[in-house]
């Protein structure tokens, strides 16, 4: 049976986002989960399932369960993978809730990605994939390098400009200025962007997401149960994850198109909506370029026109499709994906304050579109009755 | 909706089990998967989902998909964890098949666990859990040590004897002598067992599972689709995974009982059967002791009586509940859990040759019962119409 609108997000929680949390990932996880439970109006012992994902920093679901006093979880998931699986975790857990494996499952991600395991650090490959043996000897193995190569290909092929990358960064910082959770709230303009120091050509410092200590928790239950809880339920209309082409696959015909292009039709079919129905989109923004390519691959604009689309202002708060309304990973913080879901839920509940998109009913939230691991994942969420 | 009997195992495949495969885990995975597809009578391009788990050795689902020419998988799972999650992977994937996320999902595990990453090796903790910081400084961090402490507690509390551990090993080797896939087929008796060299008290060499290079693949589809394929379908009647107590949890009242004791009632409830209905059981046997404690925790005998139960011959091929009919991890090989599922399916199809349990209709296959990660997982399988 299709998952469409059968499972709801009943609670959301997060810790402060910082450069140095001063506490363990276990503490971060439990704090975010307690906040999500409080948001839903549920006690900790209601929880009977835990789901997370890992690369680098992590904390085992069993240890989190013990810390919360959940003696006998009926469901757990500890998915290996980084940003690309962040939304797959929610999709997987939703299947378990729908099948009655567990009633209240929390999806969380906790990491000290600035003060401990730095995701963008050099020195070792992030993923121990077979492929890295061909890349590591050349010193090519961290995300800024990998995405830079894809961005350059897009610029060569479609004429995407540095200024267009810059418009992503400038626009998201303007949103972050309206977001009390954001780590970086001081606005900058295109000149500031262009003057920021190079990291990996064509990326400057302001093209790159933050490295963050923090945690996010997303509480799932059935849509029926969610009706009786404290907050406006947000249902999972569509969940899709898949795509099998890494950036250097022989079967990848074109490095300027991501796995999201394959995944998007399935996602929207499950949800029963199309890109035009989406009121607000949180698109995985490890780098500015990722937003541009996803605007194309999820169908908000034709292939190759992501750059001009952003330049037109369409993705701003008052545009046709507001994107990364919290400032995204570039300005709010990088909690590896789930902070996009948090913001999407906030918007659909009408709780986004000064950055609220009026009347938002349908939201898209996406994970990394599949360069490194070959996978992508995404959710279509809807304000539920 | 309950998962009971809605998803079937339509194909099984494996590579030879050896001490030195001479090929990569990617090659092992593709060979086992091709064998499972051939078993089901399906071409590789029918496949649209891949699921695995990892600790140490591994191979990314996306790379396996590329190798098989599967261009656009609609489902993937790469669960972090060792033996305890081996059966959770099948349960998770079954949820995805049931929900129509994908139609043909292969669950695989490929590892060069003898020639490359040795699971039982000392030198580093196997899992980067928070807990290891308290154990590693004492040199206590590999599975033989962990399970030995639990076995000793059971011996102290219930009078379980070294000879009873030995009967597990002797009995399984007798089964392996009838299994052409088994790495170790030369029978031994209790004297041989008692004379084998000590590893970690009370474990001798013959208490410990093998370290194996090899791969297993289990192909899932809906029960309806499975009817039209080449082999007798085996349905997934029950799937359960959970349990949140690691061996040293403050909330673990008793180290002689595992997470399986919590999980078993849920498992059997979903399946609509009880331990008495099980015709054949493949119980996770990283060490002999694990079999004894699971006989108790899955309800085949009262708590504390696992040792005498094995000594009575009840678990032999001609006993009331034949256990580890292939020789198990102790004698067939250690493919981290899925080779138990392979044997269980073989038995339920009536394909187990000289070691066939006559008329086997219901089988239990279990993962590690939750010492190290706190998790357990298990499946009840049934010969389907």
């Amino acid at each position: 049976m299709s998952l469409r609108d059968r499972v709801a997000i009943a609670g959301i929680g997060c810790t402060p986002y910082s450069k140095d949390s001063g506490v363990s990932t276990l503490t971060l996880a439990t704090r975010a989960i307690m906040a999500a439970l409080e948001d839903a109006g549920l006690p900790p012992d209601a929880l009977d399932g835990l789901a997370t994902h890992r690369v680098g920093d992590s904390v085992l679901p069993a240890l989190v369960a013990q810390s919360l006093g959940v003696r006998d979880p009926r469901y757990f998931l500890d998915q290996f993978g980084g940003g690309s699986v962040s939304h797959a975790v929610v999709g997987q857990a939703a299947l378990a809730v729908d099948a009655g494996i567990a009633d209240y499952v929390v999806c969380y991600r906790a990491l000290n990605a600035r003060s401990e395991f730095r995701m963008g650090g050099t020195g070792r490959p992030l993923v121990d994939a077979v492929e890295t043996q061909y890349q590591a000897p050349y010193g090519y193995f961290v995300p800024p390098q990998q995405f830079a190569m894809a961005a350059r290909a897009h610029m060569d092929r479609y004429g995407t400009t540095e200024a267009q990358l810059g418009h992503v960064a400038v626009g998201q910082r303007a949103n972050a200025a309206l977001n009390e959770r954001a780590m970086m709230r001081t606005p900058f303009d295109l000149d500031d962007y262009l003057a920021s120091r190079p990291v990996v050509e064509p990326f400057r410092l302001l093209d790159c997401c933050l490295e963050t200590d923090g945690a996010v928790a997303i509480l799932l239950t059935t849509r029926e149960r969610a009706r009786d809880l404290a907050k406006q339920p947000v249902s999972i209309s569509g969940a899709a994850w898949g795509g099998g082409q890494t950036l250097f696959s022989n079967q990848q015909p074109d490095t300027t198109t991501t796995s999201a292009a394959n995944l998007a039709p399935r996602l929207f079919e499950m949800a029963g909506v199309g890109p035009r129905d989406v009121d607000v989109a949180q698109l995985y923004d490890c780098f500015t370029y990722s937003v541009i390519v996803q605007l194309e691959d999820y169908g908000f604009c034709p292939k190759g026109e992501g750059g001009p689309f952003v330049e037109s202002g369409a993705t701003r708060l008052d545009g046709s499709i507001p994107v990364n309304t919290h400032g995204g990973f570039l300005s709010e913080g990088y909690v590896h994906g789930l902070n996009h879901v948090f913001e999407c839920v906030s918007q659909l509940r009408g709780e986004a304050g000064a950055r609220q998109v009026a009347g938002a009913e349908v939201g898209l939230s996406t994970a990394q579109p599949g360069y490194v691991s070959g996978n992508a994942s995404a959710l279509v969420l809807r304000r539920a009755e």
Side-chain angles (χ1 to χ4, degrees), chain A:
Chain A
M1 185 183 298
S2 166
L3 194 61
R4 185 197 294 180
D5 291 324
R6 293 175 55 82
V7 175
I9 295 173
I12 55 176
C14 67
T15 64
Y17 304 145
S18 73
K19 291 185 177 181
D20 188 1
S21 71
V23 297
S24 68
T25 51
L26 176 57
T27 296
L28 289 173
T30 53
R31 286 179 181 169
I33 292 169
M34 288 299 288
L37 287 161
E38 190 179 337
D39 184 53
L42 281 169
D45 63 4
L47 211 60
D48 58 1
L50 300 101
T52 190
H53 67 105
R54 69 166 60 209
V55 65
D57 246 348
S58 71
V59 52
L60 283 174
L63 295 179
V64 176
Q66 287 170 24
S67 297
L68 292 167
V70 177
R71 291 188 57 91
D72 183 26
R74 295 162 61 197
Y75 177 79
F76 66 87
L77 173 68
D78 193 354
Q79 168 92 329
F80 178 80
S84 64
V85 306
S86 58
H87 290 54
V89 166
V90 178
Q92 288 274 10
L95 292 176
V97 168
D98 188 40
I101 300 289
D103 293 337
Y104 298 98
V105 177
V106 70
C107 303
Y108 67 90
R109 178 73 175 124
L111 66 181
N112 280 321
R114 180 62 176 76
S115 67
E116 295 186 42
F117 185 91
R118 295 186 67 170
M119 210 70 62
T122 54
R124 77 280 163 273
L126 192 59
V127 177
D128 62 339
V130 176
E131 286 193 336
T132 59
Q133 69 184 303
Y134 303 116
Q135 302 168 9
Y138 300 93
Y140 177 86
F141 45 56
V142 292
Q145 301 167 321
Q146 294 162 328
F147 285 82
M149 189 177 280
R152 174 58 74 199
H154 199 275
M155 294 167 88
D156 286 348
R157 182 155 181 171
Y158 297 113
T160 305
T161 66
E162 296 189 352
Q164 288 164 350
L165 298 179
H167 279 292
V168 173
V170 170
Q172 291 192 198
R173 180 61 60 86
N175 295 346
L178 306 174
N179 174 12
E180 64 289 347
R181 292 191 308 274
M183 292 173 73
M184 307 294 273
R185 301 185 63 184
T186 308
F188 58 80
D189 62 21
L190 199 58
D191 287 339
D192 299 323
Y193 165 82
L194 291 168
S196 74
R197 67 177 171 83
V199 173
V200 181
E201 198 188 339
F203 291 155
R204 296 173 166 79
L205 183 67
L206 294 173
D207 287 294
C208 303
C209 73
L210 306 172
E211 293 178 295
T212 302
D213 288 9
V216 172
I218 306 293
L219 181 69
L220 307 185
T221 190
T222 59
R223 193 167 156 193
E224 283 194 5
R225 282 194 205 92
R227 284 200 188 99
D228 300 327
L229 298 177
K231 288 289 178 72
Q232 165 82 54
V234 169
S235 70
I236 297 174
S237 291
W241 59 110
Q245 304 308 317
T246 56
L247 187 55
F248 301 101
S249 164
N250 291 334
Q251 298 160 45
Q252 177 78 312
D254 173 8
T255 54
T256 64
T257 297
T258 71
S259 294
N262 292 333
L263 178 142
R266 295 198 294 275
L267 174 71
F268 287 123
E269 185 190 350
M270 184 191 290
V273 299
R276 286 175 179 274
D277 301 304
V278 174
D279 300 310
V280 60
Q282 318 301 344
L283 303 180
Y284 196 90
D285 56 319
C286 46
F287 304 96
T288 50
Y289 166 69
S290 309
V291 173
I292 287 174
V293 73
Q294 284 179 94
L295 286 166
E296 301 166 1
D297 291 349
Y298 282 103
F300 293 102
C301 66
K303 192 70 212 169
E305 296 182 20
F309 190 73
V310 169
E311 202 164 21
S312 77
T315 59
R316 295 192 174 233
L317 278 184
D318 59 357
S320 58
I321 176 66
V323 170
N324 294 345
T325 50
H326 49 337
F329 306 151
L330 300 175
S331 288
E332 184 188 63
Y334 183 63
V335 197
H336 228 163
L338 287 187
N339 53 323
H340 271 359
V341 179
F342 186 107
E343 173 70 4
C344 203
V345 171
S346 298
Q347 287 283 350
L348 298 176
R349 284 179 179 175
E351 293 178 348
R355 65 188 187 283
Q356 179 66 46
V357 174
E361 289 189 9
V362 175
L364 171 69
S365 186
T366 76
Q368 202 249 85
Y371 282 116
V372 186
S373 68
N375 301 314
S377 58
L379 301 168
V380 172
L381 305 179
R382 183 190 286 272
R383 192 166 67 205
E385 301 311 309

